[in-house]
């Protein structure tokens, strides 16, 4: 830590209070172009971590820059407040989740102020407040009325002691509940789903519109949606003399249908029933399903080729062969039809399943497509791990299709199947409908009533919100606590007025976060989730900043909501770019994680606590108990690794501006940032150097009429002016498009170095005036302060106020961003490198107009001070033998006599 000769805490407090006053007396922003910058809202845990500081520093920097460009900027903040963590915390502390959440929000707002984040708190929302979840329920009903919300049974992890559903991560390696220790069971429960699959094609296709999203995020979404084009064939099972059952099988390779050796169905296929399977077979399938569940919990892929042979056979739709049916662990019911055709010669997974279950000898496997490419030795025999998955030419085993290329054969086979009634072209998606039911208290209640007479009845919109009851006992046991609140649970059916019960499930918190950015456009609307006009004005979000861990589900669900609501006519963006009308986020910025140093015992691998270490020598930590050097690495911050960094403590020690600058400079925003307090000192030193420039300039009598006339600038001023304009141009691109803030800080440091190295005074020999301060220098220092301000706002404000004592300043963020003078970018002079006997000795500026005049260039070099020392009066007294000009005159080599 260094002495800045600046009272940073006082400066930060001063400007935080000033900004609050300015918010209360904000200028009219009508008729200004909008810019909607948004950082993903946090779960209110009660404590900001360095990941929060990073994302909010990025969004705040962009917001402040856009204000200086004259935009109407909205930069809102809120709280993703529902969910299991708050419910568990409430149980552990014996307090209500509301009290826990409110206290945490209060603490985090104070912390957010300390990082100097300029959020629009007048747009603040909290998802657990009834004035928000009323509209979440409203949107549920809108989906329900459009047949996009429905109930069906789904298999869940069930804790038989606590009587509740568990997520996979709540089940340990032995298949037991993380809390009760009970052996977890598979159980089917009736659950609510959103029919996101109806939007699969636009969700996939419209990724191509999002040219400002990272490619890797779009690729992850494409994979998650998982479109497969192919065909569906009917394989008929003769269950008995009078009962024939068609198994619909989807394949993306119709050209391999002649290579089928078995059919594989999922463990919950309709044929997996005591009615169709022998008792022993059925028991084996039940055991397989349990193993599969455990494999999911253990993330075990090695067991994914297990299977059970049934006594059932299906008839091949073309050849008439009887095909054995297996129940397979790698077939899932909610993808495709829950049945696949096993073609071991042309599918790696089928080949592994065939080997493991001894379905057919290797020599008898039918290879029905000759690949285009063969092994180096010319053989084409199937060996372990060698399966021909490429297209090729159909073999003689393929009847009338033999000799056809795969592409042609697929079309012909499907056409014939459609004509014959045993198949059809089909498209399948990996994407599944969105399960939104949660058997928990702390979530938005599902606005549905179950009536014994009328079945499922939606709550009338006029009766929203369905409020969460507050007089409730939370134990984490017994399923949803809502089913025990009798006066809440029991109600009247809106249809028949008879006795009925409310739905006791609450909604997945992803539902809350799938439309919150739309509510920000009109947060106080008591009649609708948002008005048509406000949403149409502000949407889509121009830049969305958040962690890559949300690259799939949150973004996908948000896109689904927006597409649905746009289709319903609830908004229509008024902006000129029409390609993103039904997309939520125009540009996506994914920041990397923040890692910190960990120290491990070199003998045991145990993570060491700070008090177990001697850190008195900066780069030589010692484990106190052993005297050994610990193993040092950078890892994700966590309590178990004892490497958490408290943002408040860091800000208190180094200042918020230095902390923000360090956060932006340390690594590109998309990469992991390895946090080290020691390197913040470099940012403090830079702040001090800028302050010295500001202080020096403020002490001069400045003219209020700043004229930048290149025709009267001397060479030093022109070079400075060129560097200023180059930096402004670079900063504008970074802040507008690339967000390479590490480069921005580096370039501003270079400009600081340059301004420090030049004299602010114009010698009177240069002009027929008394010595005055250079307008270029004034322009440079002021531009530097303006460009620092979005990243380091309180010192930006303080420095700007210091430079403008002659006029009243509200805030630097109402000043205009520096403009580029393209004339100032032109290079009237170039750097000429001078060598002596092939070794670089010095360089000097040469007018570009004389580069082609070798004698003129040589004359300038010889007359320069360095030229006098190295060439005219060289220490060894040797004469110039010849002069070599290279690189268009930019390199001049003086060859001296030997």
């Amino acid at each position: 830590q260094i002495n800045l000769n600046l009272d940073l805490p006082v400066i930060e407090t001063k400007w935080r209070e000033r900004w609050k006053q300015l918010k209360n007396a904000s200028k009219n922003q009508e008729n200004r172009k909008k810019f909607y910058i948004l950082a993903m809202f946090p779960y209110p845990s009660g404590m900001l971590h360095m990941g929060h500081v990073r994302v909010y520093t990025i969004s705040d920097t962009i917001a402040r820059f856009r204000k200086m460009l004259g935009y109407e900027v909205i930069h809102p903040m809120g709280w993703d407040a529902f969910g299991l963590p708050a419910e568990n915390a409430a149980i552990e502390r014996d307090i209500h989740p509301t009290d826990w959440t409110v206290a945490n929000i209060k603490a985090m707002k104070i912390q957010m102020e300390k990082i100097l984040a300029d959020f629009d708190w007048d747009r603040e929302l909290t998802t657990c407040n009834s004035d928000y979840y009323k509209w979440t329920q409203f949107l549920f009903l809108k989906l329900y009325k459009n047949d996009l919300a429905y109930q069906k049974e789904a298999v869940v992890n069930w804790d038989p002691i606590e009587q509740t559903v568990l997520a996979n991560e709540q089940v340990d390696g032995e298949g037991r509940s993380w809390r009760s220790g009970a052996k977890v069971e598979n159980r089917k429960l009736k659950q609510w789903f959103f029919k996101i699959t109806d939007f699969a094609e636009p969700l996939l296709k419209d990724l191509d519109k999002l040219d400002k999203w990272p490619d890797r995020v779009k690729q992850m979404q494409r994979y998650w949606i998982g479109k497969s084009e192919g065909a569906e064939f009917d394989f008929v099972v003769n269950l008995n003399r009078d009962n024939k059952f068609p198994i619909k099988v989807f394949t993306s390779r119709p050209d391999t249908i002649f290579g089928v050796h078995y059919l594989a169905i999922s463990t919950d296929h309709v044929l997996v029933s005591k009615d169709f399977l022998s008792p022993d077979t059925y028991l084996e399938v039940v055991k397989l399903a349990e193993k599969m569940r455990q494999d999911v919990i253990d993330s075990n892929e090695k067991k994914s080729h297990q299977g059970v042979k049934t006594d059932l056979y299906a008839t091949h739709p073309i050849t008439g062969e009887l095909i054995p049916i297996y129940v397979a662990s790698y077939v899932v019911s909610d993808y495709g039809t829950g049945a696949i055709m096993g073609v071991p010669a042309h599918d790696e997974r089928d080949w592994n399943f065939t080997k493991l279950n001894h379905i057919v000898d290797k020599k008898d496997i039918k290879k029905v497509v000759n690949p285009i490419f063969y092994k180096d030795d010319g053989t084409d025999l199937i060996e372990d791990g060698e399966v021909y998955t490429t297209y090729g030419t159909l073999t003689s085993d393929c009847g009338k299709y033999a000799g056809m290329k795969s592409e042609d054969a697929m079309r012909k086979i499907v056409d014939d199947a459609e004509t014959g009634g045993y198949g059809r072209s089909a498209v399948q998606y990996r994407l599944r409908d969105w399960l939104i039911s949660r058997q928990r208290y702390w979530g938005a209640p599902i606005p549905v009533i179950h009536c014994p007479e009328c079945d499922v009845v939606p709550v009338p919109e006029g009766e929203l919100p369905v409020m969460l009851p507050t007089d409730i006992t939370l134990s984490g046991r017994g399923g949803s606590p809502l089913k025990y609140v009798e006066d809440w649970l029991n109600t009247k059916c809106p249809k028949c007025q008879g006795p009925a019960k409310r739905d006791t499930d609450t909604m997945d918190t992803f539902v809350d976060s799938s439309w919150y950015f739309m509510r920000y456009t009109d947060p106080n609307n008591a009649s609708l989730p948002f008005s048509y006009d406000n949403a149409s004005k502000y949407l889509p979000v121009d830049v969305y900043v958040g962690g890559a861990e949300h690259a799939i589900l949150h973004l996908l669900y948000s896109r689904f909501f927006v597409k649905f609501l746009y289709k319903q006519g609830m908004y229509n963006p008024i902006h000129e770019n029409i390609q993103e009308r039904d997309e939520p986020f125009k540009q996506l910025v994914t920041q990397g994680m923040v890692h910190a140093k960990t120290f491990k015992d070199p003998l045991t691998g145990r993570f060491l606590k700070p008090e177990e270490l001697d850190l008195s020598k900066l780069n030589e930590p010692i484990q106190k108990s052993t005297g050994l050097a610990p193993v040092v690495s950078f890892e994700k911050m966590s309590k178990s690794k004892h490497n958490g960094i408290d943002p408040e403590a860091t800000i208190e020690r180094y200042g918020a501006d230095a902390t923000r600058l360090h956060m932006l400079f340390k690594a590109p925003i998309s990469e992991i940032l390895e946090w080290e307090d020691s390197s913040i000192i470099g940012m403090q030193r830079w702040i001090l150097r800028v302050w010295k420039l500001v202080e020096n300039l403020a002490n001069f009598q400045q003219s209020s009429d700043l004229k930048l006339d290149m025709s009267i600038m001397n060479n030093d001023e022109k070079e400075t002016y060129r560097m200023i304009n180059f930096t402004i141009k670079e900063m504008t691109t970074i802040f507008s498009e690339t967000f390479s803030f590490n480069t921005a800080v580096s370039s501003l440091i270079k400009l600081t170095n340059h301004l420090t190295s030049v004299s602010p005074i114009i010698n009177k020999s240069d002009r027929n005036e008394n010595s005055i301060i250079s307008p270029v220098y004034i322009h440079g220092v002021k531009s530097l302060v303006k460009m620092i301000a979005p990243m380091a706002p309180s010192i930006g404000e303080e420095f700007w106020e210091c430079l403008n004592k002659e006029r009243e300043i509200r805030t630097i963020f109402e000043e205009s961003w520096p403009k580029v003078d393209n004339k100032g970018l032109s290079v009237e002079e170039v750097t000429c490198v001078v060598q002596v006997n092939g070794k670089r000795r010095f360089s000097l500026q040469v007018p570009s107009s004389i580069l082609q005049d070798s004698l003129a260039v040589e004359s300038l070099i010889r007359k320069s001070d360095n030229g006098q020392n190295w060439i005219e009066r060289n220490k060894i007294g040797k004469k110039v033998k010849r002069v070599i000009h290279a690189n268009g005159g930019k390199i001049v080599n003086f060859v001296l006599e030997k």
Side-chain angles (χ1 to χ4, degrees):
Q1 193 170 7
I2 62 173
N3 181 9
L4 288 175
N5 195 26
L6 287 168
D7 194 338
L8 292 180
V10 171
I11 291 172
E12 290 169 12
T13 301
K14 166 187 170 180
W15 287 102
R16 286 205 307 267
E17 292 304 313
R18 180 82 66 86
W19 293 330
K20 286 179 185 177
Q21 295 168 11
L22 291 172
K23 285 278 188 183
N24 295 330
S26 59
K27 294 172 68 176
N28 184 7
Q29 291 194 330
E30 289 184 9
N31 302 318
R32 295 165 70 185
K33 191 174 180 181
K34 73 93 183 180
F35 191 85
Y36 187 173
I37 168 70
L38 182 62
M40 292 181 184
F41 67 166
Y43 161 69
S45 63
M47 176 66 72
L48 284 187
H49 55 67
M50 279 301 185
H52 290 128
V53 176
R54 191 178 196 192
V55 67
Y56 303 145
T57 297
I58 292 167
S59 71
D60 190 60
T61 297
I62 297 169
R64 291 179 182 277
F65 162 72
R66 287 286 174 172
K67 285 180 181 178
M68 296 177 78
L69 285 184
Y71 284 83
E72 177 193 357
V73 174
I74 68 168
H75 185 214
M77 178 49 65
W79 310 97
D80 192 9
F82 271 141
L84 188 57
E87 189 166 337
N88 288 339
I91 293 169
E92 290 167 9
R93 292 164 177 80
D94 193 27
I95 61 172
H96 196 279
T98 299
D99 299 332
W100 164 258
T101 302
V102 169
N104 287 351
I105 288 173
K106 183 178 179 181
M108 291 179 74
K109 285 183 76 170
I110 293 171
Q111 293 167 350
M112 285 181 174
E113 281 190 7
K114 289 183 177 179
I115 65 171
L116 309 179
D118 182 24
F119 293 121
D120 296 334
W121 289 114
D122 57 337
R123 296 181 182 271
E124 181 183 10
L125 59 82
T126 305
T127 61
C128 68
N129 288 352
S130 60
D131 61 358
Y132 183 85
Y133 70 71
K134 169 183 179 177
W135 300 114
T136 303
Q137 294 171 339
F138 173 92
L139 296 176
F140 174 96
L141 294 178
K142 206 162 189 64
L143 287 159
Y144 180 80
K145 290 169 185 175
N146 284 273
D147 298 322
L148 292 171
Y150 67 94
Q151 274 187 303
K152 73 171 183 179
E153 285 194 331
V155 177
V156 296
N157 297 319
W158 182 257
D159 184 325
I161 292 180
E162 295 194 347
Q163 297 286 296
T164 191
V165 175
L166 302 174
N168 287 336
E169 58 268 24
Q170 294 174 312
V171 183
D172 68 17
E174 296 179 353
R176 296 185 179 276
S177 168
W178 70 301
R179 281 168 64 91
S180 71
K183 192 72 175 176
V184 173
E185 301 172 358
N186 276 347
R187 181 173 291 192
K188 282 191 174 182
L189 285 184
K190 209 165 190 183
Q191 310 260 342
W192 283 97
F193 290 81
F194 285 160
K195 205 171 183 182
I196 191 173
T197 50
D198 274 16
F199 287 76
E201 186 58 27
L203 285 169
L204 179 66
K205 178 173 62 69
D206 291 350
L207 287 168
D208 294 335
K209 297 178 182 178
L210 303 175
D211 52 9
K212 292 185 178 180
W213 280 37
D215 287 338
R216 61 189 178 87
V217 172
K218 291 193 288 185
Q219 198 55 38
M220 289 166 75
Q221 292 226 345
R222 287 190 183 99
Y223 179 80
W224 191 264
I225 297 168
K227 182 178 181 179
S228 295
E229 296 182 84
E232 194 176 79
F233 293 106
D234 299 333
F235 287 74
V236 177
V237 182
N238 293 309
L239 295 174
N240 55 50
R241 185 181 300 174
D242 301 316
N243 191 358
K244 293 184 178 181
F245 182 88
I247 297 180
K248 295 185 182 301
V249 174
F250 174 80
T251 178
S252 60
R253 290 291 304 274
D255 57 326
T256 65
I257 192 169
F258 289 92
V260 175
H261 281 276
Y262 65 93
L263 297 186
I265 59 176
S266 64
T267 56
D268 54 352
H269 192 276
V270 67
L271 288 177
V272 178
S273 164
K274 292 178 181 178
D275 295 335
F276 305 130
L277 303 180
S278 68
D280 289 344
T281 301
Y282 184 76
L283 182 60
E284 286 298 311
V285 174
V286 171
K287 290 179 180 178
L288 175 64
E290 171 59 23
K291 286 181 180 178
M292 288 168 59
R293 187 194 64 77
Q294 189 61 47
D295 288 347
V296 170
I297 294 168
D298 296 342
S299 300
N300 189 341
E301 298 297 327
K302 295 180 180 179
K303 300 178 182 178
S304 62
H305 301 106
Q306 297 175 354
V308 174
K309 187 178 187 303
T310 73
D311 300 324
L312 302 175
Y313 288 81
T315 303
H316 193 290
I318 299 177
T319 67
E321 294 175 88
L322 289 179
I323 308 295
I325 298 174
Y326 285 74
V327 180
S329 59
Y330 71 95
V331 182
V332 290
S333 60
D334 57 358
Y335 176 67
T337 61
I340 62 104
M341 59 187 210
V343 186
H346 303 288
D347 185 280
E348 192 82 41
R349 196 176 46 180
D350 296 350
W351 167 236
N352 289 328
F353 185 82
T354 298
K355 283 193 300 181
L356 187 66
N357 294 278
H358 309 291
I359 294 174
V360 64
D361 288 340
K362 185 169 70 174
K363 61 182 177 59
D364 296 324
I365 289 177
K366 288 181 282 189
K367 180 166 64 67
V368 295
V369 177
N370 275 327
I372 298 170
F373 300 106
Y374 294 85
K375 295 197 302 183
D376 291 341
D377 60 5
T379 63
D380 61 353
L381 295 174
I382 297 173
E383 297 178 5
D384 287 357
E386 294 175 356
V387 178
Y388 299 136
T389 59
T390 59
Y391 290 165
T393 304
L394 272 63
T395 68
S396 57
D397 292 326
C398 300
K400 65 179 182 178
Y401 308 103
M404 295 178 70
K405 291 183 178 178
S406 288
E407 294 87 342
D408 299 329
M410 286 193 285
R411 283 192 293 270
K412 180 62 175 168
I413 289 170
V414 174
D415 287 346
D416 290 349
E418 289 177 341
T419 301
Y422 55 83
R424 62 217 57 88
S425 61
V427 175
Q428 295 286 352
Y429 296 90
R430 184 179 292 108
L431 179 68
R432 301 296 90 212
D433 281 342
W434 175 8
L435 192 160
I436 67 155
S437 287
R438 296 294 182 269
Q439 290 72 40
R440 295 287 180 181
Y441 166 69
W442 197 234
I446 290 177
V448 161
I449 291 168
H450 298 275
C451 174
E453 299 297 326
C454 308
D455 199 18
V456 175
V457 182
V459 172
E461 288 180 10
E463 296 180 15
L464 298 179
V466 177
M467 299 282 288
L468 276 174
T470 55
D471 186 14
I472 194 163
T473 301
L474 297 175
S475 66
R477 295 172 178 264
S480 173
L482 294 174
K483 67 185 182 183
Y484 301 107
V485 187
E486 293 291 331
D487 59 346
W488 180 89
L489 178 66
N490 296 306
T491 187
K492 286 184 178 180
C493 172
K495 224 174 188 181
C496 70
Q497 302 305 307
K501 293 185 183 294
R502 296 191 185 279
D503 196 301
T504 58
D505 282 355
T506 53
M507 288 187 237
D508 176 13
T509 55
F510 272 128
V511 180
D512 307 317
S513 61
S514 292
W515 74 281
Y516 80 109
F517 50 90
M518 306 184 85
R519 180 66 175 174
Y520 278 142
T521 68
D522 199 7
N524 301 311
N525 194 323
S527 303
L528 288 167
F530 45 83
S531 72
Y532 178 91
D533 289 343
N534 278 26
S536 299
K537 176 182 178 181
Y538 291 114
L539 294 173
V541 174
D542 290 283
V543 177
Y544 194 37
V545 187
E549 65 271 21
H550 301 294
I552 299 179
L553 294 181
H554 164 57
L555 296 175
L556 190 68
Y557 294 155
S558 298
R559 296 180 64 224
F560 162 63
F561 257 75
V562 164
K563 289 182 181 301
F564 167 68
L565 296 176
Y566 176 81
K567 193 175 180 181
Q568 292 295 305
M570 289 188 68
Y571 84 107
N572 185 11
I574 61 176
H575 315 294
E576 66 280 359
N577 190 343
I578 61 169
Q579 72 171 4
E580 292 139 347
R581 286 188 182 280
D582 61 347
E583 288 289 340
F585 314 118
K586 196 170 181 179
Q587 182 166 7
L588 178 67
V589 176
T590 54
Q591 92 283 354
M593 301 182 76
V594 182
H595 287 189
K597 272 185 182 177
T598 62
F599 301 89
K600 291 181 188 176
D601 186 318
L603 302 177
T604 66
R606 180 177 64 86
F607 287 103
L608 300 172
K609 297 177 182 178
E611 56 266 28
E612 296 180 272
L613 296 160
D614 177 0
L615 300 174
S616 57
K617 293 183 179 179
L618 185 62
N619 296 314
E620 298 179 22
I622 296 295
Q623 186 176 343
K624 291 178 181 177
S625 61
T626 64
L628 298 175
V631 177
V632 181
S633 63
F634 282 90
E635 299 190 33
K636 181 181 177 182
M637 294 184 191
S638 72
K639 290 180 181 178
S640 63
K641 296 173 184 174
H642 314 296
N643 69 335
I645 303 293
D646 180 3
E648 282 195 90
T650 303
I651 288 168
E652 186 176 339
R653 185 177 184 192
Y654 299 102
D657 290 302
T659 300
R660 286 169 58 117
L661 288 168
H662 175 65
M663 189 69 79
L664 296 170
F665 177 65
K666 185 67 174 165
I669 59 175
S670 61
E671 295 181 10
I672 289 172
L673 188 154
E674 295 183 344
W675 185 265
E676 288 185 282
D677 276 7
S678 58
S679 54
I680 302 183
I681 294 172
M683 294 298 100
Q684 287 188 311
R685 290 195 180 110
W686 177 38
I687 290 171
L688 180 59
R689 294 175 65 219
V690 177
W691 171 237
K692 286 179 178 178
L693 287 173
V694 170
E695 202 172 32
N696 289 340
L697 181 56
N699 289 332
F700 283 103
Q701 185 70 31
Q702 299 178 32
S703 169
S704 59
D705 184 18
L706 184 63
K707 292 182 179 179
L708 296 167
D709 185 350
M710 290 186 66
S711 66
I712 60 171
M713 292 180 190
N714 61 36
N715 288 338
D716 287 341
E717 286 181 302
K718 286 179 181 178
E719 174 57 24
T720 299
Y721 193 55
R722 185 195 68 78
M723 189 169 189
I724 293 166
N725 280 286
F726 177 83
T727 306
I728 293 171
K729 183 177 181 181
E730 184 182 27
M731 293 303 101
T732 305
T733 300
I734 288 172
F735 282 66
S736 301
E737 301 172 15
T738 65
F739 309 130
S740 306
F741 295 119
N742 59 317
T743 303
V745 173
S746 179
S747 295
L748 291 177
I749 291 173
K750 288 178 184 176
L751 180 58
T752 305
N753 293 342
H754 181 82
L755 291 171
T756 303
S757 70
V758 300
S759 172
I761 300 297
I762 300 171
N763 293 325
K764 61 183 179 182
S765 59
D766 291 333
R767 299 182 189 164
N768 295 322
E769 305 170 14
N770 293 326
S771 294
I772 59 171
I773 190 166
S774 165
V776 175
Y777 183 85
I778 297 171
H779 176 59
V781 174
K782 288 190 172 183
S783 296
L784 174 64
V785 171
K786 282 185 176 182
M787 289 186 287
I788 289 173
M791 297 184 287
S794 77
I795 61 162
E797 293 275 29
E798 189 71 13
F799 293 174
W800 189 250
E801 186 178 67
C802 183
L803 289 171
N804 291 275
K805 291 177 179 176
E806 78 285 354
R807 64 187 181 99
E808 184 180 348
I809 297 295
R810 280 167 50 98
T811 169
I812 191 172
F813 300 107
E814 289 178 0
E815 302 291 324
S816 297
W817 182 256
K819 290 183 171 58
V820 177
D821 180 356
N822 288 319
K823 291 181 180 177
L825 289 172
S826 61
V827 182
E828 296 182 359
E829 292 183 334
V830 296
T831 300
C832 180
V833 175
V834 180
Q835 299 175 340
V836 177
N837 287 340
K839 291 185 178 181
R840 176 177 175 146
R841 295 304 183 188
F842 62 92
S843 65
L844 80 163
Q845 297 301 113
V846 174
S848 57
S849 58
I850 69 165
L851 275 183
Q852 305 307 315
D853 187 340
S854 301
L855 293 177
V857 172
E858 287 177 32
S859 176
L860 277 178
I861 293 172
R862 289 175 184 267
K863 289 177 182 178
S864 69
D865 290 342
N866 282 321
Q868 290 291 310
N869 291 333
W870 283 102
I871 300 166
E872 298 302 302
R873 298 192 299 270
N874 60 78
K875 296 176 182 178
I876 52 178
K878 293 182 179 178
K879 295 182 179 180
V880 176
K881 185 177 180 182
R882 68 177 186 276
V883 181
I884 302 170
H885 293 259
N887 195 21
K890 294 179 184 177
I891 299 176
V892 180
N893 182 18
F894 287 82
V895 181
L896 305 183
E897 292 178 340
K898 292 182 180 180

